[in-house]
Amino acid sequence: MTDLTKKPCACGGEMGQIIGFVPRPSDEGLTPVRKGWYCVECRAWEDAILRETTVENI
Ligand SMILES: [Zn+2]
């Protein structure tokens, strides 16, 4: 299984995942979704797309 919690950045640094929450109508809870990855070294941002937004566990 691929680790999507972090990924290498073009600058040589490491991008960390950013998690957001969306309302869940079924029980009024919140579903965690992966918004994308952020690099603190060069402040680059990469959007998560499609299946990448699914958070398996936190
Ligand atoms: Zn970077």
Side-chain angles (χ1 to χ4, degrees):
M1 200 164 81
T2 309
D3 180 15
L4 291 175
T5 60
K6 54 194 171 186
K7 58 169 59 183
C9 179
C11 76
E14 190 175 71
M15 306 184 87
Q17 68 174 357
I18 302 297
I19 299 295
F21 294 88
V22 294
R24 187 172 54 230
S26 57
D27 62 357
E28 298 185 342
L30 293 172
T31 300
V33 293
R34 184 175 291 106
K35 297 290 189 182
W37 299 266
Y38 178 72
C39 175
V40 294
E41 301 290 332
C42 67
R43 300 183 180 178
W45 173 261
E46 184 176 328
D47 279 323
I49 52 171
L50 304 175
R51 287 188 308 164
E52 293 176 346
T53 62
T54 303
V55 179
E56 300 80 15
N57 48 51
I58 290 186

